[in-house]
Amino acid sequence: MSHILDGKKVAQKLKDRLKIDIENIKSKFDCVPGLAVVQVGNVAASSVYVKAKTKAAKEVGINVYDHHLEATTNQDELINLINQLNNSEDVDGILVQLPLPKTINEEVVLNSILPEKDADGFHPLNIGKLSISPNNDENLMIPCTPYGCLLLLKELDIKLVGKNAVVIGRSNIVGKPMAQLLLKESCTVTTVHSKTVDIKSICKKADILIAAIGKPEFVNKDWVKEGAIIIDVGINRVKINEDKSKLVGDVLFSDVEQKVSAISPVPGGVGPMTIACLLRNTTISCKNRLIN
Ligand code: NAP
């Protein structure tokens, strides 16, 4: 019987800790962290994420500044808003919900956020710090999803040092920073991707397998070693019938569950951790501002 890594529970633990941190900030400095949430247009999935992030931020005591812009907003208008938020003393974290409309260059927009207010941890300076700092430091702004995966792994009563970790996927927001985080935990890390030859046999050697591919139920039991730990990052909506759909991960849960020692479910695994880590980054940004 494998251990199910309950992301909701672990995320709640982190949020409880942040709530106490924020109460302490309030009593010491008479202010609370502020998070600006910027959404452009009305992509349905983005609205769901923004709603969940806003709710979670308010629950821990973060002030949320909601900026929902028309789908016709152009890049200059969006960057003007980000500049205002960069200069606002009330805002510690800026989150720009992706994807942006096709007419806007995401990279230019994300890079216009001040690194110290980069709630998602995507800015090149934060990515650079992540790769050169020796530890997974408390003061770093770290990409939320991979950091959430690491915190899930740390819930298990195992040593990460020396483990053979395989990350499937090399995106800037998940795969690459995930590999960096595991490397700093002294895992031996292999990153595989769509051009990797014989991917299955590499995955089969993994003590820890992180799947961040974006392909529904792609990884089955033939890909995993007996007793491996699986973190499933994927969020894929698949149709059940004409009217109904459901969320599944990148791993065929029912197939691998009996073979592995621990696995994160979808939904209820990495998703809640991503949100909790966004709140962590915002709180860290506030602490860094007040203390430095
Ligand atoms: P992405 O940017 O599309 O990257 C997918 C990666 O998977 C790429 O590196 C790609 O390789 C690789 N890949 C695609 N097909 C493959 C194949 N057949 N074999 C091996 N590798 C393959 O996606 P992402 O943003 O990293 O997201 C990955 C998944 O995580 C998605 O389902 C997304 O919705 C989910 N996600 C979840 C959360 C959360 O909070 N739970 C957060 C972010 C993302 P190439 O580089 O060679 O193309």
Side-chain angles (χ1 to χ4, degrees):
M1 191 65 183
S2 66
H3 176 80
I4 307 298
L5 285 160
D6 186 343
K8 278 192 200 158
K9 206 162 130 190
V10 183
Q12 191 57 52
K13 216 162 85 178
L14 174 55
K15 287 191 284 183
D16 289 344
R17 249 194 8 242
L18 291 172
K19 205 170 171 184
I20 295 169
D21 268 9
I22 291 167
E23 278 161 10
N24 288 338
I25 291 172
K26 194 171 179 182
S27 62
K28 213 164 162 186
F29 298 99
D30 195 27
C31 68
V32 296
L35 173 67
V37 179
V38 182
Q39 182 184 358
V40 184
N42 291 301
V43 173
S46 293
S47 300
V48 172
Y49 290 133
V50 161
K51 200 171 156 199
K53 289 169 184 175
T54 302
K55 181 169 173 275
K58 287 180 178 167
E59 274 166 13
V60 299
I62 291 174
N63 277 344
V64 179
Y65 304 98
D66 183 28
H67 295 273
H68 194 169
L69 310 179
E70 299 288 333
T72 50
T73 304
N74 68 36
Q75 186 166 308
D76 288 344
E77 288 166 331
L78 180 55
I79 289 181
N80 274 341
L81 170 65
I82 290 173
N83 286 336
Q84 283 170 33
L85 299 171
N86 280 339
N87 291 322
S88 165
E89 284 189 359
D90 298 327
V91 173
D92 293 292
I94 303 170
L95 158 75
V96 177
Q97 184 63 46
L98 302 179
L100 291 171
K102 294 266 180 292
T103 49
I104 298 180
N105 184 323
E106 282 185 358
E107 193 183 342
V108 172
V109 170
L110 294 181
N111 290 354
S112 72
I113 298 172
L114 278 180
E116 55 269 34
K117 295 195 177 191
D118 168 33
D120 269 323
F122 294 160
H123 193 283
L125 196 81
N126 290 323
I127 294 294
K129 281 185 181 172
L130 178 70
S131 72
I132 60 174
S133 81
N135 307 311
N136 289 319
D137 199 294
E138 274 301 300
N139 293 327
L140 289 178
M141 306 284 274
I142 302 176
C144 304
T145 299
Y147 193 59
C149 295
L150 180 65
L151 295 182
L152 275 182
L153 287 173
K154 287 192 167 182
E155 280 296 304
L156 294 167
D157 195 18
I158 54 149
K159 281 205 174 74
L160 295 177
V161 176
K163 290 279 185 296
N164 194 13
V166 174
V167 180
I168 318 178
R170 55 173 166 178
S171 71
N172 288 338
I173 63 170
V174 189
K176 283 184 201 156
M178 186 74 247
Q180 286 291 351
L181 287 165
L182 291 167
L183 189 59
K184 287 202 283 180
E185 296 295 329
S186 296
C187 292
T188 301
V189 185
T190 308
T191 303
V192 297
H193 47 78
S194 70
K195 308 292 184 292
T196 301
V197 176
D198 199 7
I199 192 167
K200 201 197 280 190
S201 71
I202 299 171
C203 293
K204 225 172 164 168
K205 293 195 183 106
D207 304 310
I208 298 168
L209 183 64
I210 315 276
I213 317 160
K215 295 214 181 304
E217 301 178 325
F218 192 70
V219 174
N220 63 39
K221 70 174 185 314
D222 297 338
W223 290 54
V224 303
K225 184 166 90 171
E226 192 89 40
I229 296 162
I230 313 287
I231 304 284
D232 189 353
V233 183
I235 301 180
N236 309 288
R237 186 161 287 284
V238 293
K239 268 198 158 185
I240 307 173
N241 57 37
E242 270 308 300
D243 319 307
K244 278 195 179 157
S245 65
K246 63 170 183 173
L247 287 184
V248 299
D250 289 344
V251 178
L252 185 51
F253 186 93
S254 57
D255 200 40
V256 305
E257 191 196 358
Q258 295 304 318
K259 194 172 180 185
V260 300
S261 61
I263 181 166
S264 67
V266 179
V270 177
M273 295 303 298
T274 298
I275 296 181
C277 290
L278 170 81
L279 312 180
R280 168 205 176 264
N281 278 347
T282 306
T283 308
I284 283 177
S285 164
C286 178
K287 279 194 201 166
N288 288 345
R289 166 173 66 84
L290 294 168
I291 291 159
N292 296 326

